[in-house]
Amino acid sequence: MTVDAVPSPVRPSSGVQLAVYPGSFDPIHNGHVDIILRGARLFDRIVVALLRNAEKVPLFSIEERIDLMREVFRSQPNVEIDAFDGLLVDYARQKHASVIVRGLRAVSDFEFEFQLALMNRRLSPEIETVFMMPAEPYTYTSSRLIKEVFALGGVVSGLVPETVERRLREKRAGGT
Ligand code: PNS
């Protein structure tokens, strides 16, 4: 193996190291927030990119999720909230991102994340996937479980930002 076999990462002429953190975020929980804040410390800018056309029926519309996330990160100037369609690597290239960030909670995440990262590498070798671990209290937190626990009357305080908890309550009260 030679060093030439590893493609150089994309470095925009500005020298700004930009990372994309993609996902469904339906809704964003504190494990996501933890990863985003870690990413914001590590990279010059982190773009949190919501997938627009996921097949599953979401609880929160894409606009609701964007609004919620912008509220959560309003005091973080190097965190950008955006949405994308199509291939993640095309979006990352368009943003001049050199890194894709994904969170790894437990071994159970690994298989899917491994496939995703290697497929993305095949599609766009110059973009690196970087895995980050959330703080320990969030290693079992997922959007799916948050929705299920909340729908069944369980308490999700401390697992989601307050603004998300409030919107969950409003949704339940309004039936929307
Ligand atoms: O939060 P999720 O649902 O685990 O995020 C999955 C996501 C959005 C990262 C993934 O589905 C994705 O990147 N979709 C975009 C389409 C794409 O690029 N597919 C090929 C990747 S291997």
Side-chain angles (χ1 to χ4, degrees), residues 10 12 22 36-37 41 43 49 55-56 63 68 77 80 82 89 98 108 112-113 120 125 137 139 141 146 159 167:
V10 178
I36 294 164
L37 294 178
R41 281 204 316 240
F43 305 104
E55 281 164 32
K56 40 197 175 183
E63 289 74 23
L68 278 172
E80 181 188 338
D82 195 15
V89 289
S98 49
S108 50
F112 174 65
E113 294 302 333
N120 283 333
T139 46
T141 313
I146 298 282
L159 296 177
R167 277 298 286 131

PDB file of all heavy atoms in Angstrom, residues 10 12 22 36-37 41 43 49 55-56 63 68 77 80 82 89 98 108 112-113 120 125 137 139 141 146 159 167:
ATOM      1  N   VAL A  10     -11.120  16.553   0.606  1.00  0.00           N
ATOM      2  CA  VAL A  10     -11.474  17.834  -0.002  1.00  0.00           C
ATOM      3  C   VAL A  10     -11.099  18.939   0.973  1.00  0.00           C
ATOM      4  O   VAL A  10     -11.486  18.899   2.132  1.00  0.00           O
ATOM      5  CB  VAL A  10     -13.009  17.906  -0.214  1.00  0.00           C
ATOM      6  CG1 VAL A  10     -13.404  19.253  -0.794  1.00  0.00           C
ATOM      7  CG2 VAL A  10     -13.480  16.780  -1.079  1.00  0.00           C
ATOM      8  N   PRO A  12     -11.382  22.976   0.921  1.00  0.00           N
ATOM      9  CA  PRO A  12     -11.734  24.162   0.162  1.00  0.00           C
ATOM     10  C   PRO A  12     -10.620  25.198   0.252  1.00  0.00           C
ATOM     11  O   PRO A  12      -9.841  25.192   1.215  1.00  0.00           O
ATOM     12  CB  PRO A  12     -13.014  24.669   0.842  1.00  0.00           C
ATOM     13  CG  PRO A  12     -13.067  23.990   2.148  1.00  0.00           C
ATOM     14  CD  PRO A  12     -12.264  22.745   2.056  1.00  0.00           C
ATOM     15  N   PRO A  22     -25.430  13.942   8.850  1.00  0.00           N
ATOM     16  CA  PRO A  22     -26.734  13.678   8.243  1.00  0.00           C
ATOM     17  C   PRO A  22     -27.612  12.801   9.132  1.00  0.00           C
ATOM     18  O   PRO A  22     -27.125  12.074   9.993  1.00  0.00           O
ATOM     19  CB  PRO A  22     -26.342  12.898   6.989  1.00  0.00           C
ATOM     20  CG  PRO A  22     -25.159  12.100   7.433  1.00  0.00           C
ATOM     21  CD  PRO A  22     -24.431  12.929   8.457  1.00  0.00           C
ATOM     22  N   ILE A  36     -23.357  16.774  17.935  1.00  0.00           N
ATOM     23  CA  ILE A  36     -23.229  18.034  17.180  1.00  0.00           C
ATOM     24  C   ILE A  36     -22.285  18.998  17.911  1.00  0.00           C
ATOM     25  O   ILE A  36     -21.425  19.630  17.296  1.00  0.00           O
ATOM     26  CB  ILE A  36     -24.622  18.670  16.941  1.00  0.00           C
ATOM     27  CG1 ILE A  36     -25.448  17.767  16.011  1.00  0.00           C
ATOM     28  CG2 ILE A  36     -24.501  20.082  16.363  1.00  0.00           C
ATOM     29  CD1 ILE A  36     -26.938  18.063  15.989  1.00  0.00           C
ATOM     30  N   LEU A  37     -22.417  19.078  19.240  1.00  0.00           N
ATOM     31  CA  LEU A  37     -21.539  19.990  19.995  1.00  0.00           C
ATOM     32  C   LEU A  37     -20.088  19.511  19.957  1.00  0.00           C
ATOM     33  O   LEU A  37     -19.162  20.314  19.857  1.00  0.00           O
ATOM     34  CB  LEU A  37     -22.030  20.129  21.444  1.00  0.00           C
ATOM     35  CG  LEU A  37     -23.399  20.829  21.576  1.00  0.00           C
ATOM     36  CD1 LEU A  37     -23.831  20.874  23.039  1.00  0.00           C
ATOM     37  CD2 LEU A  37     -23.374  22.236  20.985  1.00  0.00           C
ATOM     38  N   ARG A  41     -16.855  21.520  18.062  1.00  0.00           N
ATOM     39  CA  ARG A  41     -15.550  21.823  18.679  1.00  0.00           C
ATOM     40  C   ARG A  41     -14.403  21.350  17.797  1.00  0.00           C
ATOM     41  O   ARG A  41     -13.325  21.912  17.774  1.00  0.00           O
ATOM     42  CB  ARG A  41     -15.437  21.100  20.032  1.00  0.00           C
ATOM     43  CG  ARG A  41     -16.178  21.782  21.149  1.00  0.00           C
ATOM     44  CD  ARG A  41     -15.581  21.399  22.505  1.00  0.00           C
ATOM     45  NE  ARG A  41     -15.290  19.979  22.608  1.00  0.00           N
ATOM     46  CZ  ARG A  41     -15.825  19.160  23.501  1.00  0.00           C
ATOM     47  NH1 ARG A  41     -16.675  19.637  24.383  1.00  0.00           N
ATOM     48  NH2 ARG A  41     -15.510  17.887  23.542  1.00  0.00           N
ATOM     49  N   PHE A  43     -14.548  20.654  14.285  1.00  0.00           N
ATOM     50  CA  PHE A  43     -14.492  21.192  12.921  1.00  0.00           C
ATOM     51  C   PHE A  43     -14.823  22.678  12.938  1.00  0.00           C
ATOM     52  O   PHE A  43     -15.444  23.176  13.881  1.00  0.00           O
ATOM     53  CB  PHE A  43     -15.475  20.436  12.016  1.00  0.00           C
ATOM     54  CG  PHE A  43     -15.242  18.947  12.032  1.00  0.00           C
ATOM     55  CD1 PHE A  43     -16.085  18.099  12.740  1.00  0.00           C
ATOM     56  CD2 PHE A  43     -14.153  18.402  11.372  1.00  0.00           C
ATOM     57  CE1 PHE A  43     -15.844  16.729  12.788  1.00  0.00           C
ATOM     58  CE2 PHE A  43     -13.899  17.029  11.419  1.00  0.00           C
ATOM     59  CZ  PHE A  43     -14.750  16.192  12.123  1.00  0.00           C
ATOM     60  N   ALA A  49     -27.599  17.917   8.478  1.00  0.00           N
ATOM     61  CA  ALA A  49     -28.353  17.791   7.228  1.00  0.00           C
ATOM     62  C   ALA A  49     -29.481  16.778   7.379  1.00  0.00           C
ATOM     63  O   ALA A  49     -29.243  15.583   7.574  1.00  0.00           O
ATOM     64  CB  ALA A  49     -27.404  17.382   6.108  1.00  0.00           C
ATOM     65  N   GLU A  55     -38.336   7.384   3.386  1.00  0.00           N
ATOM     66  CA  GLU A  55     -39.561   6.634   3.056  1.00  0.00           C
ATOM     67  C   GLU A  55     -40.535   6.586   4.229  1.00  0.00           C
ATOM     68  O   GLU A  55     -41.737   6.594   4.056  1.00  0.00           O
ATOM     69  CB  GLU A  55     -39.197   5.220   2.622  1.00  0.00           C
ATOM     70  CG  GLU A  55     -38.697   5.193   1.178  1.00  0.00           C
ATOM     71  CD  GLU A  55     -37.977   3.909   0.856  1.00  0.00           C
ATOM     72  OE1 GLU A  55     -38.340   2.868   1.429  1.00  0.00           O
ATOM     73  OE2 GLU A  55     -37.040   3.966   0.036  1.00  0.00           O
ATOM     74  N   LYS A  56     -39.969   6.536   5.454  1.00  0.00           N
ATOM     75  CA  LYS A  56     -40.858   6.398   6.610  1.00  0.00           C
ATOM     76  C   LYS A  56     -41.700   7.667   6.824  1.00  0.00           C
ATOM     77  O   LYS A  56     -41.270   8.770   6.489  1.00  0.00           O
ATOM     78  CB  LYS A  56     -40.048   6.043   7.855  1.00  0.00           C
ATOM     79  CG  LYS A  56     -38.735   6.776   7.981  1.00  0.00           C
ATOM     80  CD  LYS A  56     -37.814   6.098   8.977  1.00  0.00           C
ATOM     81  CE  LYS A  56     -36.453   6.802   8.979  1.00  0.00           C
ATOM     82  NZ  LYS A  56     -35.466   6.240   9.809  1.00  0.00           N
ATOM     83  N   GLU A  63     -40.046  20.758   7.956  1.00  0.00           N
ATOM     84  CA  GLU A  63     -40.014  22.171   8.386  1.00  0.00           C
ATOM     85  C   GLU A  63     -40.037  22.257   9.917  1.00  0.00           C
ATOM     86  O   GLU A  63     -39.322  23.061  10.515  1.00  0.00           O
ATOM     87  CB  GLU A  63     -41.196  22.960   7.805  1.00  0.00           C
ATOM     88  CG  GLU A  63     -41.113  23.218   6.313  1.00  0.00           C
ATOM     89  CD  GLU A  63     -41.391  21.980   5.465  1.00  0.00           C
ATOM     90  OE1 GLU A  63     -42.058  21.044   5.976  1.00  0.00           O
ATOM     91  OE2 GLU A  63     -40.931  21.946   4.312  1.00  0.00           O
ATOM     92  N   LEU A  68     -37.194  23.333  14.982  1.00  0.00           N
ATOM     93  CA  LEU A  68     -36.789  22.854  16.307  1.00  0.00           C
ATOM     94  C   LEU A  68     -35.269  22.903  16.448  1.00  0.00           C
ATOM     95  O   LEU A  68     -34.735  23.383  17.457  1.00  0.00           O
ATOM     96  CB  LEU A  68     -37.241  21.404  16.506  1.00  0.00           C
ATOM     97  CG  LEU A  68     -38.674  21.146  16.943  1.00  0.00           C
ATOM     98  CD1 LEU A  68     -38.987  19.654  16.908  1.00  0.00           C
ATOM     99  CD2 LEU A  68     -38.890  21.691  18.356  1.00  0.00           C
ATOM    100  N   PRO A  77     -22.858  29.567  16.544  1.00  0.00           N
ATOM    101  CA  PRO A  77     -22.697  30.148  15.198  1.00  0.00           C
ATOM    102  C   PRO A  77     -22.103  29.192  14.167  1.00  0.00           C
ATOM    103  O   PRO A  77     -22.310  29.385  12.974  1.00  0.00           O
ATOM    104  CB  PRO A  77     -21.789  31.358  15.428  1.00  0.00           C
ATOM    105  CG  PRO A  77     -21.163  31.143  16.760  1.00  0.00           C
ATOM    106  CD  PRO A  77     -22.052  30.247  17.560  1.00  0.00           C
ATOM    107  N   GLU A  80     -24.852  24.741  11.412  1.00  0.00           N
ATOM    108  CA  GLU A  80     -25.846  25.122  10.396  1.00  0.00           C
ATOM    109  C   GLU A  80     -26.867  23.988  10.268  1.00  0.00           C
ATOM    110  O   GLU A  80     -26.492  22.818  10.312  1.00  0.00           O
ATOM    111  CB  GLU A  80     -25.129  25.328   9.051  1.00  0.00           C
ATOM    112  CG  GLU A  80     -26.044  25.753   7.921  1.00  0.00           C
ATOM    113  CD  GLU A  80     -25.331  25.762   6.560  1.00  0.00           C
ATOM    114  OE1 GLU A  80     -24.074  25.857   6.535  1.00  0.00           O
ATOM    115  OE2 GLU A  80     -25.992  25.653   5.536  1.00  0.00           O
ATOM    116  N   ASP A  82     -29.704  22.306   7.832  1.00  0.00           N
ATOM    117  CA  ASP A  82     -30.093  22.327   6.419  1.00  0.00           C
ATOM    118  C   ASP A  82     -30.815  21.013   6.109  1.00  0.00           C
ATOM    119  O   ASP A  82     -30.885  20.119   6.954  1.00  0.00           O
ATOM    120  CB  ASP A  82     -28.818  22.473   5.571  1.00  0.00           C
ATOM    121  CG  ASP A  82     -29.096  22.874   4.136  1.00  0.00           C
ATOM    122  OD1 ASP A  82     -30.220  23.317   3.835  1.00  0.00           O
ATOM    123  OD2 ASP A  82     -28.178  22.716   3.296  1.00  0.00           O
ATOM    124  N   VAL A  89     -23.394  11.928  -0.453  1.00  0.00           N
ATOM    125  CA  VAL A  89     -22.057  12.358  -0.897  1.00  0.00           C
ATOM    126  C   VAL A  89     -22.162  13.515  -1.896  1.00  0.00           C
ATOM    127  O   VAL A  89     -21.298  14.397  -1.928  1.00  0.00           O
ATOM    128  CB  VAL A  89     -21.220  11.202  -1.492  1.00  0.00           C
ATOM    129  CG1 VAL A  89     -20.777  10.245  -0.404  1.00  0.00           C
ATOM    130  CG2 VAL A  89     -21.960  10.476  -2.602  1.00  0.00           C
ATOM    131  N   SER A  98     -15.468  17.914   3.879  1.00  0.00           N
ATOM    132  CA  SER A  98     -14.458  16.866   3.755  1.00  0.00           C
ATOM    133  C   SER A  98     -14.785  15.680   4.647  1.00  0.00           C
ATOM    134  O   SER A  98     -14.158  14.628   4.550  1.00  0.00           O
ATOM    135  CB  SER A  98     -13.083  17.424   4.124  1.00  0.00           C
ATOM    136  OG  SER A  98     -13.164  18.122   5.342  1.00  0.00           O
ATOM    137  N   SER A 108     -24.561  -2.546  18.179  1.00  0.00           N
ATOM    138  CA  SER A 108     -25.711  -2.766  17.305  1.00  0.00           C
ATOM    139  C   SER A 108     -25.775  -1.736  16.172  1.00  0.00           C
ATOM    140  O   SER A 108     -26.337  -1.997  15.114  1.00  0.00           O
ATOM    141  CB  SER A 108     -27.003  -2.725  18.120  1.00  0.00           C
ATOM    142  OG  SER A 108     -27.003  -1.568  18.916  1.00  0.00           O
ATOM    143  N   PHE A 112     -24.850  -1.348  10.266  1.00  0.00           N
ATOM    144  CA  PHE A 112     -25.447  -0.399   9.329  1.00  0.00           C
ATOM    145  C   PHE A 112     -24.472   0.729   9.016  1.00  0.00           C
ATOM    146  O   PHE A 112     -24.287   1.123   7.856  1.00  0.00           O
ATOM    147  CB  PHE A 112     -26.755   0.149   9.909  1.00  0.00           C
ATOM    148  CG  PHE A 112     -27.370   1.243   9.089  1.00  0.00           C
ATOM    149  CD1 PHE A 112     -27.844   0.997   7.808  1.00  0.00           C
ATOM    150  CD2 PHE A 112     -27.483   2.546   9.594  1.00  0.00           C
ATOM    151  CE1 PHE A 112     -28.407   2.017   7.036  1.00  0.00           C
ATOM    152  CE2 PHE A 112     -28.042   3.570   8.830  1.00  0.00           C
ATOM    153  CZ  PHE A 112     -28.506   3.305   7.553  1.00  0.00           C
ATOM    154  N   GLU A 113     -23.829   1.241  10.074  1.00  0.00           N
ATOM    155  CA  GLU A 113     -22.921   2.375   9.885  1.00  0.00           C
ATOM    156  C   GLU A 113     -21.711   1.999   9.019  1.00  0.00           C
ATOM    157  O   GLU A 113     -21.227   2.802   8.227  1.00  0.00           O
ATOM    158  CB  GLU A 113     -22.455   2.911  11.245  1.00  0.00           C
ATOM    159  CG  GLU A 113     -23.568   3.515  12.074  1.00  0.00           C
ATOM    160  CD  GLU A 113     -24.292   4.679  11.375  1.00  0.00           C
ATOM    161  OE1 GLU A 113     -23.665   5.345  10.524  1.00  0.00           O
ATOM    162  OE2 GLU A 113     -25.471   4.907  11.675  1.00  0.00           O
ATOM    163  N   ASN A 120     -20.465   5.040   0.995  1.00  0.00           N
ATOM    164  CA  ASN A 120     -20.158   6.460   0.744  1.00  0.00           C
ATOM    165  C   ASN A 120     -18.707   6.634   0.298  1.00  0.00           C
ATOM    166  O   ASN A 120     -18.406   7.458  -0.554  1.00  0.00           O
ATOM    167  CB  ASN A 120     -20.450   7.301   1.992  1.00  0.00           C
ATOM    168  CG  ASN A 120     -21.939   7.542   2.161  1.00  0.00           C
ATOM    169  OD1 ASN A 120     -22.691   7.541   1.173  1.00  0.00           O
ATOM    170  ND2 ASN A 120     -22.389   7.725   3.377  1.00  0.00           N
ATOM    171  N   PRO A 125     -14.482   8.783  -2.634  1.00  0.00           N
ATOM    172  CA  PRO A 125     -13.347   8.397  -1.780  1.00  0.00           C
ATOM    173  C   PRO A 125     -12.691   9.552  -1.037  1.00  0.00           C
ATOM    174  O   PRO A 125     -11.992   9.329  -0.049  1.00  0.00           O
ATOM    175  CB  PRO A 125     -12.358   7.772  -2.772  1.00  0.00           C
ATOM    176  CG  PRO A 125     -13.115   7.545  -4.027  1.00  0.00           C
ATOM    177  CD  PRO A 125     -14.279   8.477  -4.045  1.00  0.00           C
ATOM    178  N   PRO A 137     -24.668   8.703  29.065  1.00  0.00           N
ATOM    179  CA  PRO A 137     -26.115   8.645  29.347  1.00  0.00           C
ATOM    180  C   PRO A 137     -26.982   8.542  28.100  1.00  0.00           C
ATOM    181  O   PRO A 137     -28.165   8.213  28.198  1.00  0.00           O
ATOM    182  CB  PRO A 137     -26.392   9.980  30.064  1.00  0.00           C
ATOM    183  CG  PRO A 137     -25.075  10.460  30.533  1.00  0.00           C
ATOM    184  CD  PRO A 137     -24.043   9.912  29.611  1.00  0.00           C
ATOM    185  N   THR A 139     -26.249   6.609  25.357  1.00  0.00           N
ATOM    186  CA  THR A 139     -25.872   5.480  24.509  1.00  0.00           C
ATOM    187  C   THR A 139     -27.077   4.598  24.155  1.00  0.00           C
ATOM    188  O   THR A 139     -26.991   3.775  23.251  1.00  0.00           O
ATOM    189  CB  THR A 139     -24.764   4.619  25.171  1.00  0.00           C
ATOM    190  OG1 THR A 139     -25.130   4.405  26.522  1.00  0.00           O
ATOM    191  CG2 THR A 139     -23.414   5.286  25.107  1.00  0.00           C
ATOM    192  N   THR A 141     -30.222   6.101  23.775  1.00  0.00           N
ATOM    193  CA  THR A 141     -31.268   7.017  23.308  1.00  0.00           C
ATOM    194  C   THR A 141     -31.414   6.930  21.794  1.00  0.00           C
ATOM    195  O   THR A 141     -30.429   6.978  21.070  1.00  0.00           O
ATOM    196  CB  THR A 141     -30.891   8.477  23.678  1.00  0.00           C
ATOM    197  OG1 THR A 141     -30.477   8.504  25.024  1.00  0.00           O
ATOM    198  CG2 THR A 141     -32.067   9.416  23.479  1.00  0.00           C
ATOM    199  N   ILE A 146     -37.746   7.371  21.878  1.00  0.00           N
ATOM    200  CA  ILE A 146     -38.298   8.607  22.462  1.00  0.00           C
ATOM    201  C   ILE A 146     -39.779   8.712  22.084  1.00  0.00           C
ATOM    202  O   ILE A 146     -40.642   8.959  22.927  1.00  0.00           O
ATOM    203  CB  ILE A 146     -37.537   9.855  21.932  1.00  0.00           C
ATOM    204  CG1 ILE A 146     -36.071   9.832  22.326  1.00  0.00           C
ATOM    205  CG2 ILE A 146     -38.242  11.155  22.333  1.00  0.00           C
ATOM    206  CD1 ILE A 146     -35.747  10.221  23.725  1.00  0.00           C
ATOM    207  N   LEU A 159     -33.807  13.600  28.074  1.00  0.00           N
ATOM    208  CA  LEU A 159     -33.350  12.838  26.900  1.00  0.00           C
ATOM    209  C   LEU A 159     -33.487  13.639  25.610  1.00  0.00           C
ATOM    210  O   LEU A 159     -32.865  13.320  24.595  1.00  0.00           O
ATOM    211  CB  LEU A 159     -34.151  11.531  26.760  1.00  0.00           C
ATOM    212  CG  LEU A 159     -33.982  10.528  27.899  1.00  0.00           C
ATOM    213  CD1 LEU A 159     -34.873   9.319  27.692  1.00  0.00           C
ATOM    214  CD2 LEU A 159     -32.521  10.081  28.005  1.00  0.00           C
ATOM    215  N   ARG A 167     -42.799  20.614  22.207  1.00  0.00           N
ATOM    216  CA  ARG A 167     -43.489  20.357  20.928  1.00  0.00           C
ATOM    217  C   ARG A 167     -44.163  18.983  20.934  1.00  0.00           C
ATOM    218  O   ARG A 167     -45.234  18.797  20.345  1.00  0.00           O
ATOM    219  CB  ARG A 167     -42.507  20.453  19.749  1.00  0.00           C
ATOM    220  CG  ARG A 167     -42.247  21.823  19.258  1.00  0.00           C
ATOM    221  CD  ARG A 167     -43.506  22.531  18.721  1.00  0.00           C
ATOM    222  NE  ARG A 167     -43.944  22.024  17.412  1.00  0.00           N
ATOM    223  CZ  ARG A 167     -45.192  21.660  17.117  1.00  0.00           C
ATOM    224  NH1 ARG A 167     -46.140  21.719  18.022  1.00  0.00           N
ATOM    225  NH2 ARG A 167     -45.494  21.214  15.910  1.00  0.00           N
TER     226      ARG A 167
END
